[in-house]
Amino acid sequence: MGVVDNVERGLEKLVTSVFRGSGSAEVQPVEIASQLRNEMDNRTLTLSEGRTLAPNSFKIRLGATDFERARQWGATLAEELCDVAVKHARSQQYTLQGPVSVSFNRDESTKAGSFTIDATMEKPAAGTAAPPKAPVAPPRAPSNQQAVLDINGQRYALNADSVVLGRSAEADIPIDDPGVSRRHVEIVRDGARAWAVDLGSTNGSYVNGQRVQGREELFDGSIVAMGRTRITYRLVAQRTGGSA
């Protein structure tokens, strides 16, 4: 519960005050976060062993009063809830068909203190090539190559199959850039191949000038842009270890 606990505490500290009204019934952000995770679980679609699709688009319907309170934080609150969805998907090993999005919608038929969530699976925009499905036994990367990221004069070796970059101190590689979301982009590797996955960021992610819609494959020399930060994906010669 550690990571989830931290997210919920952050939501409480960040935006709970927005929902404090004069009435006794009011929507709390942690309630939305909890229901969002439940909707993901309830609307999963198992395709095969080890591959379960989950919703990645969430439309939250609020009554007039709660909607106005939520709108005061707008993108900030939506971004926090996107983080909840992404972390839950990773913890449950769900597959998402595209970036996570959260929107707030005014619904006059919804009473104060109540809300509903429409959770759906949305593919990337038409015309965007999706990466091939991972084979059961993916090929290993060539032993003489190491995938690295060059960021602001520093080099980071990609030694895991999933690396998250963002403004949060909890990101695998923290990025000090106000234009970057807390969890902005994920670098996913499968054997010798790699993709940049936008995690529902506010300002979007770009690979070689092309906005990432879902995933974008990376090649040696690819430039990943987010905010004012430019990241170069490289394959470098790996040192072959040996006894001295």
Side-chain angles (χ1 to χ4, degrees):
M1 285 292 292
V3 172
V4 173
D5 227 16
N6 289 339
V7 171
E8 292 188 342
R9 288 176 187 273
L11 279 169
E12 287 182 318
K13 291 179 181 178
L14 180 65
V15 294
T16 295
S17 61
V18 175
F19 290 85
R20 289 176 183 161
S22 56
S24 58
E26 55 203 26
V27 173
Q28 298 293 337
V30 291
E31 295 175 328
I32 300 177
S34 177
Q35 183 62 28
L36 186 149
R37 289 195 297 268
N38 289 339
E39 289 297 321
M40 290 186 77
D41 294 336
N42 293 337
R43 297 180 182 276
T44 56
L45 176 62
T46 301
L47 299 181
S48 61
E49 185 177 355
R51 182 170 169 79
T52 302
L53 294 181
N56 61 304
S57 175
F58 305 92
K59 294 179 175 61
I60 302 169
R61 301 186 184 279
L62 298 159
T65 303
D66 289 318
F67 173 76
E68 291 302 322
R69 291 174 185 144
R71 195 165 64 169
Q72 293 179 41
W73 279 94
T76 304
L77 177 54
E79 184 180 320
E80 293 286 338
L81 292 170
C82 284
D83 286 348
V84 170
V86 170
K87 288 180 179 178
H88 187 62
R90 293 183 68 187
S91 70
Q92 301 300 313
Q93 297 184 329
Y94 292 152
T95 297
L96 303 181
Q97 290 189 304
V100 174
S101 64
V102 172
S103 63
F104 300 103
N105 299 268
R106 180 169 178 157
D107 185 351
E108 299 295 342
S109 65
T110 300
K111 297 180 180 179
S114 300
F115 65 93
T116 58
I117 300 179
D118 296 334
T120 57
M121 301 175 190
E122 292 191 1
K123 294 182 179 180
T128 301
K133 302 296 186 294
V136 175
R140 303 297 299 171
S143 59
N144 62 338
Q145 287 189 325
Q146 168 72 59
V148 301
L149 298 178
D150 287 338
I151 310 172
N152 298 329
Q154 290 186 296
R155 174 162 288 182
Y156 300 84
L158 296 178
N159 296 320
D161 291 336
S162 170
V163 175
V164 174
L165 296 87
R167 202 177 67 249
S168 171
E170 296 180 359
D172 297 315
I173 302 179
I175 304 294
D176 185 14
D177 183 337
V180 170
S181 297
R182 293 175 67 250
R183 290 170 55 85
H184 196 110
V185 73
E186 180 180 17
I187 306 300
V188 178
R189 297 172 60 236
D190 179 6
R193 306 181 72 178
W195 293 269
V197 182
D198 187 85
L199 300 177
S201 65
T202 301
N203 297 322
S205 306
Y206 298 82
V207 172
N208 298 328
Q210 172 99 19
R211 181 156 186 158
V212 176
Q213 300 285 351
R215 297 186 178 193
E216 191 72 30
E217 188 165 6
L218 301 176
F219 302 94
D220 186 24
S222 290
I223 304 296
V224 180
M226 54 183 187
R228 295 183 212 161
T229 303
R230 300 294 179 270
I231 301 161
T232 305
Y233 174 84
R234 293 196 182 281
L235 296 174
V236 300
Q238 188 177 45
R239 293 180 181 176
T240 55
S243 301

